[in-house]
């Protein structure tokens, strides 16, 4: 489908916010009522999420006003969203299932599950615990952390997602700089409020985020990315105006003072911070972690069940790795010790220099190009899925994840971006990079996201409620498995070990996340266990463990979702026999989109009922 055709479809979606897709529902029918309700919900959520509108490429036309705004981060807005969830859930549940089309049933089930998460978050009146945070993998106990907050994300958002093609775009960028100062102050008010409830970040998170904030504030305003991004891009487009001076004044007089105010409050909290890593220490901590696990895994699995799943799968993958290592003469020490030795092999390492980091980026783009010709063996879908690799910005690399994806815009004007944290290339031996790349790009996140951007008929409310973590991350982990199954490691035994190490690492996450938040492990205990079992560097595992402290439960979605997808594939293969076609199954996964795992299971049952036909 051409971009022009897609733009027409998306313009219609932005105007009408079609809720059901497919045939127009008969006026007054249950489906028409449902579609109208979802239409209004989509409008309301988009209006309150300007950054999402920009990310989707919908900050134009009737929604152009959103391009000059940032989301309201006040506590009052959190309460408003909670009320919206309660009201909309009650209304949707009152709509009967009888008479709804297949697509409408999926749309209703997705919205109901998301709204239920929002309603169930209400007792946890601190941190960032809402329906939208659950849909964006950002739910957690702390409003500001080493990986969250306006200070860590806004500059990259403005630089990478806020497009500048004309003077109105550049002026909207400046308006968002003004808005950022207000957002920072709103966050600071919530940090103070949370401290009054006894909710403050542990000392190691506090010191990390303060260090990052100090580094940001040490950059002269005129040299900050807030300024250089708009000034450089406006100049490149020949847009009249001294945007460097205008942006510098806003950063100097508004943003930096707001960040200094926030820093002072965070420093006060840090001076009294405890070292306990888990949310068990918070009020109703056990119930809170149960909610975090539900929004992270989209199941009702208990912490104990998730922990045991991790232990069992860790042992099974370790045995497979041991066989590969022994087959290639690596026999001494534990599997973790042998992987550490392999990771320290100079032949596996890129130079830890700026030139070496550029080489990593080139290598990743080569891996993306290399896997494209193989996708036809696993999918019938013909997707363009443009994507490129980019380094995590230096100013946030201390707290950022090791690798992650920003999906491209709906109108095709911005490709997907694959970020890799290159604080040290020692964290990325060559054998570890293929599986990570398949996860984040093709056939992983970028491929799955491309269906949303290229099909042109996914309802807007589903675009917004597209963050069901167990599906999104479980599918990407399954994509790593497809890399192995399509033969990408046939002549790369070390790369296959990297793939297995990555799979094992996700099993390890189940153990350490539940260990810290339910079983009261210390941070150090979790780091030691992760290093010993993963064979990865202590620096990398420290960053990961700290991530699980700031976003409890999220890291558990990967292996839970992956396990369920494989269970469903085995079920389909067993039921269909010779009629089973992995390409049709994989297309079904992608076309179903981000949904709760229960909805995905229903879709696979439908595939079986159709005799394996698309």
């Amino acid at each position: 489908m051409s971009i022009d055709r897609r733009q027409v479809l998306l313009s219609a979606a932005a105007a009408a916010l079609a809720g059901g897709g497919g045939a127009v529902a008969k006026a007054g029918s249950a489906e028409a009522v449902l579609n109208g309700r979802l239409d209004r919900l989509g409008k309301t959520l988009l209006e309150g999420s300007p950054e999402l509108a920009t990310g989707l490429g919908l900050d134009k036309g009737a929604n152009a006003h959103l391009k000059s705004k940032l989301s309201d981060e006040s506590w009052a807005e959190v309460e408003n969203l909670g009320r919206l969830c309660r009201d909309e859930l009650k209304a949707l549940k009152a709509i009967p299932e009888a008479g709804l089309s297949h697509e409408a049933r999926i749309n209703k089930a997705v919205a109901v599950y998301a709204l239920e998460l929002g309603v169930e978050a209400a007792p946890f009146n601190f941190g960032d615990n809402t329906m939208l945070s659950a849909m964006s993998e950002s739910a957690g106990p702390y409003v500001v952390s080493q990986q969250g907050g306006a200070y860590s994300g806004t500059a990259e958002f403005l630089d990478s997602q806020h497009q500048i093609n004309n003077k109105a775009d550049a002026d909207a960028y400046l308006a968002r700089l003004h808005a950022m100062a207000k957002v920072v102050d709103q966050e600071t008010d919530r940090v103070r409020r949370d401290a009054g409830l006894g909710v403050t970040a542990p000392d190691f998170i506090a010191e990390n985020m303060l260090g990052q904030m100090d580094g940001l504030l040490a950059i002269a305003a005129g040299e900050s990315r807030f300024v250089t991004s708009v000034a450089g891009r406006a100049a490149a487009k020949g847009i009249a105006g001294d945007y460097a001076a205008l942006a510098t004044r806003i950063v100097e007089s508004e943003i930096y003072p707001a960040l200094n105010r926030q820093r002072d409050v965070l420093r006060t909290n840090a001076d009294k911070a405890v070292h306990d890593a888990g949310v068990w220490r918070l009020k109703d901590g056990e119930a809170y972690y149960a909610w975090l696990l539900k929004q992270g895994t989209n199941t009702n699995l208990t912490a104990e069940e998730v922990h045991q799943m991790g232990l069992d799968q860790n042992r099974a993958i370790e045995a497979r790795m041991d066989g590969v290592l022994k087959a290639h003469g690596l026999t001494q020490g534990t599997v973790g010790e042998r992987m550490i030795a392999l990771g320290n092999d100079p032949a596996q390492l890129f130079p830890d220099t700026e030139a070496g980091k550029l080489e990593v980026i080139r290598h990743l783009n080569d891996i993306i190009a290399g896997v494209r010709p193989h996708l036809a063996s696993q999918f019938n879908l013909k997707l363009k899925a443009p994507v490129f690799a980019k380094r995590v910005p230096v100013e946030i690399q201390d707290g950022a994840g090791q690798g992650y994806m920003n999906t491209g815009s709906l109108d095709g004007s911005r490709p997907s971006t694959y970020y890799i944290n290159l604080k040290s290339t020692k964290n990325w031996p060559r054998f570890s990079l293929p599986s990570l790349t398949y996860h984040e790009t093709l056939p992983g996140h970028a491929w799955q996201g491309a269906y949303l951007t290229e099909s042109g008929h996914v309802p807007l409310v589903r675009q917004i409620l597209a963050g069901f973590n167990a599906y999104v991350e479980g599918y990407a982990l399954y994509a790593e498995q497809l890399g192995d199954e399509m033969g990408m490691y046939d002549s790369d035994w070390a790369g296959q070990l990297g793939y297995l190490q990555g799979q094992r690492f996700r099993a390890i996450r189940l153990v350490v996340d539940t260990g810290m938040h339910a079983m009261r492990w210390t941070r150090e205990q979790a780091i030691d266990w992760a290093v010993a079992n993963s064979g990865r560097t202590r620096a990398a595992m420290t960053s990961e463990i700290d991530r699980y402290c700031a976003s409890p439960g999220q890291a558990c979605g990967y292996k839970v979702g992956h396990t369920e997808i494989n269970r469903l594939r085995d079920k389909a293969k067993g039921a269909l026999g010779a009629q089973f076609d992995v390409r049709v199954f994989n297309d079904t996964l992608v076309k179903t989109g981000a949904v709760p795992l229960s909805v995905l299971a229903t879709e696979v049952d439908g595939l079986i009922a159709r005799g394996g036909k698309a």
Side-chain angles (χ1 to χ4, degrees):
M1 182 180 293
S2 69
I3 289 178
D4 289 344
R5 169 66 173 153
R6 190 161 65 246
Q7 287 172 332
V8 170
L9 288 165
L10 288 166
S11 295
L17 304 184
V24 176
K26 183 179 179 180
S29 67
E31 183 148 344
V33 173
L34 173 67
N35 290 350
R37 198 87 213 179
L38 294 178
D39 289 351
R40 290 188 291 275
L41 178 59
K43 282 183 178 179
T44 301
L45 293 175
L46 191 71
E47 186 69 26
S49 309
E51 297 91 341
L52 181 59
T54 292
L56 293 173
L58 294 178
D59 57 354
K60 55 195 65 162
N63 299 314
H65 63 287
L66 295 176
K67 192 162 189 174
S68 61
K69 296 181 179 181
L70 297 176
S71 297
D72 184 341
E73 296 295 340
S74 67
W75 181 252
E77 185 61 20
V78 173
E79 293 182 316
N80 287 338
L81 181 58
R83 284 190 289 271
L84 176 71
C85 288
R86 290 194 296 274
D87 293 345
E88 291 300 316
L89 180 61
K90 181 178 179 181
L92 287 181
K93 283 190 169 182
I95 299 173
E97 294 283 321
L100 293 183
S101 68
H102 177 71
E103 287 184 69
R105 288 173 184 266
I106 294 177
N107 294 338
K108 179 183 175 183
V110 165
V112 164
Y113 197 102
L115 291 166
E116 285 177 339
L117 286 175
V119 170
E120 292 165 5
F124 314 115
N125 60 340
F126 53 83
D128 191 9
N129 307 301
T130 67
M131 177 186 72
L132 290 179
S133 65
M135 289 293 104
S136 62
E137 300 184 357
S138 63
Y142 315 117
V143 176
V144 184
S145 70
Q146 84 282 15
Q147 62 187 35
Y151 86 96
S152 72
T154 305
E156 177 62 17
F157 163 74
L158 290 173
D159 186 44
S160 296
Q161 298 194 41
H162 182 110
Q163 295 190 43
I164 296 179
N165 294 308
N166 53 48
K167 190 175 190 304
D169 294 341
D171 290 343
Y173 183 109
L174 296 180
R176 278 178 154 167
L177 288 184
H178 285 296
M180 180 183 166
K182 181 178 180 180
V183 167
V184 171
D185 283 335
Q186 289 173 333
E187 291 175 341
T188 304
D189 288 343
R190 287 171 62 185
V191 170
R192 287 196 193 93
R193 179 184 177 280
D194 287 357
L197 298 172
V199 179
T200 57
D203 53 11
F204 51 91
I205 287 181
E207 293 303 329
N208 191 337
M209 63 182 169
L210 285 167
Q212 291 189 117
M213 200 169 286
D214 285 345
L216 176 60
L217 291 168
I219 301 170
E223 297 173 7
S224 70
R225 201 144 55 103
F226 296 116
V227 174
T228 58
S229 177
V230 65
R233 290 190 286 154
K237 292 287 186 178
I239 300 170
D242 191 351
Y243 283 94
L246 292 169
T248 299
R249 279 198 292 273
I250 297 171
V251 175
E252 285 180 336
S253 64
E254 298 178 42
I255 292 177
Y256 277 11
L259 287 172
N260 272 303
R261 290 190 291 272
Q262 186 171 96
R263 188 198 176 285
D264 289 344
V265 173
L266 293 171
R267 170 47 65 193
T268 298
N269 288 348
D271 290 342
K272 299 177 289 185
V274 300
H275 192 65
D276 295 323
V279 296
W280 55 263
R281 65 187 173 88
L282 305 178
K283 180 185 176 184
D284 298 325
E286 184 175 343
Y288 178 44
Y289 186 54
W291 178 81
L292 288 166
L293 271 184
K294 181 175 180 179
Q295 63 87 36
T297 68
N298 305 142
T299 69
N300 292 316
L301 291 171
T302 66
E304 291 74 19
E305 289 169 332
V306 172
H307 192 83
Q308 191 61 49
M309 179 187 290
L311 291 172
D312 293 343
Q313 295 199 18
N314 178 54
R315 282 193 292 268
I317 300 168
E318 179 184 45
R320 187 175 170 191
M321 292 177 71
D322 186 43
V324 177
L325 286 162
K326 286 177 177 176
H328 291 86
L330 299 173
T331 60
Q332 300 301 310
T334 66
V335 168
E337 289 168 345
R338 281 175 277 170
M339 290 303 297
I340 289 172
L342 186 62
N344 289 328
D345 183 345
Q348 291 289 340
L349 296 175
F350 293 86
D352 204 7
T353 62
E354 288 306 306
K357 292 169 184 179
L358 287 174
E359 187 182 349
V360 172
I361 298 299
R362 286 193 295 269
H363 183 62
L364 296 179
N365 285 317
D366 287 344
I367 293 173
I368 295 169
V371 75
R372 281 190 185 275
H374 295 267
L375 297 175
S377 69
Q378 300 296 319
F379 301 91
N380 291 316
L381 287 170
K382 310 297 182 187
L383 301 173
K384 297 181 181 70
V387 59
F388 68 97
K390 182 178 181 179
R391 181 180 179 181
V392 170
V394 173
E395 62 266 28
I396 64 170
Q397 66 184 9
D398 286 355
Q402 294 298 296
Y404 52 92
M405 167 64 62
N406 278 347
T407 302
S409 62
L410 289 177
D411 63 3
S413 60
R414 191 191 71 253
S416 294
T417 308
Y418 162 32
Y419 289 90
I420 186 167
N421 193 327
L422 293 178
K423 181 178 180 179
S424 173
T425 61
K426 293 177 182 178
N427 291 331
W428 296 115
R430 287 179 184 272
F431 64 75
S432 68
L433 294 174
S435 61
L436 176 73
T437 304
Y438 304 147
H439 178 108
E440 300 293 349
T441 65
L442 310 176
H445 288 316
W447 184 259
Q448 187 259 325
Y451 181 76
L452 298 179
T453 64
E454 295 178 30
S455 68
H457 63 75
V458 178
L460 181 69
V461 72
R462 291 281 307 279
Q463 304 280 3
I464 295 170
L465 304 179
F468 289 96
N469 186 60
Y471 169 88
V472 171
E473 299 299 354
Y475 170 79
L477 196 52
Y478 175 71
E480 295 184 36
Q481 176 182 324
L482 293 182
D484 188 34
E485 292 175 352
M486 69 176 76
M488 302 308 294
Y489 303 119
D490 286 355
S491 59
D492 181 15
W493 65 269
Q496 187 180 51
L497 276 170
Y499 153 66
L500 293 171
Q501 184 184 46
Q503 294 278 317
R504 187 185 185 196
F505 172 47
R506 277 41 168 261
I508 288 167
R509 284 175 165 174
L510 302 181
V511 177
V512 295
D513 195 293
T514 54
M516 287 188 293
H517 296 295
M519 299 163 189
R520 305 197 178 193
W521 286 18
T522 65
R523 176 198 187 216
E524 289 68 31
Q525 186 178 356
I527 292 170
D528 289 344
W529 203 92
V531 170
N533 284 274
S534 71
R536 294 189 172 188
T537 67
R538 181 165 290 273
M541 289 302 92
T542 298
S543 174
E544 286 292 320
I545 295 301
D546 290 356
R547 168 187 164 189
Y548 315 151
C549 293
S551 300
Q554 187 273 332
C556 296
Y558 296 71
K559 213 63 180 75
V560 171
H562 177 238
T563 301
E564 175 64 1
I565 287 171
N566 274 307
R567 185 191 72 81
L568 293 173
R569 191 171 82 164
D570 289 343
K571 178 181 180 181
K573 288 174 73 173
L576 294 170
Q579 293 177 299
F580 177 81
D581 184 337
V582 72
R583 293 169 299 181
V584 176
F585 177 84
N586 292 341
D587 285 351
T588 300
L589 293 179
V590 172
K591 291 163 71 175
T592 299
V595 294
L597 294 179
S598 57
V599 175
L600 184 62
T602 299
E603 288 302 286
V604 174
D605 286 343
L607 175 66
I608 294 170
R610 295 192 302 273
K613 292 181 170 52

